[in-house]
Amino acid sequence: MLRHGGSPTRKNREAAVKLAQSVVSARLAAGAQIVGPVGSVFWHQGEFGSGEEWQLVLKIRADRYDEVETHLLKHHPWQHPEVSAVPIVAGANGYLRWLETTTAPD
């Protein structure tokens, strides 16, 4: 079992909280951390830009990544939000059990 940190960013905190709540209440993520604002420098639609965004770090199971990604893309207002995954290669047994049982499919 691996944990992935999905990182969709949001321009305002309330929207980030709402998105985090939707993923956790659907039991696709065991928990979420909202980080921000974070500074961002980027290219978007051919233009160079910068700004502040909010980032979500989601605690999910590797085998449910596709469901989480689908949920995030459906509920995020951007056409191509950043959604990425980073595996945990090791973790405390109690934490990993909590993550697995909290997000187990019905």
Side-chain angles (χ1 to χ4, degrees):
M1 177 182 66
L2 303 173
R3 174 190 133 317
H4 291 271
S7 300
T9 53
R10 297 300 301 255
K11 279 200 159 196
N12 68 54
R13 185 179 188 285
E14 294 77 27
V17 169
K18 184 176 179 181
L19 182 57
Q21 288 173 334
S22 74
V23 177
V24 175
S25 67
R27 298 184 81 78
L28 294 171
Q33 295 171 324
I34 301 162
V35 182
V38 295
S40 183
V41 178
F42 51 84
W43 281 97
H44 181 68
Q45 298 181 340
E47 295 185 19
F48 182 77
S50 63
E52 290 185 338
E53 301 174 328
W54 295 86
Q55 185 177 51
L56 303 183
V57 178
L58 304 173
K59 300 157 195 304
I60 71 167
R61 296 163 51 123
D63 62 348
R64 301 213 55 201
Y65 174 83
D66 290 341
E67 294 172 86
V68 173
E69 181 181 302
T70 297
H71 182 95
L72 293 172
L73 294 176
K74 179 180 177 183
H75 293 92
H76 199 289
W78 295 357
Q79 185 176 7
H80 300 291
E82 176 190 351
V83 178
S84 57
V86 179
I88 287 182
V89 296
N93 287 334
Y95 173 78
L96 297 176
R97 274 193 309 276
W98 166 75
L99 181 57
E100 186 170 338
T101 59
T102 302
T103 59
D106 291 335

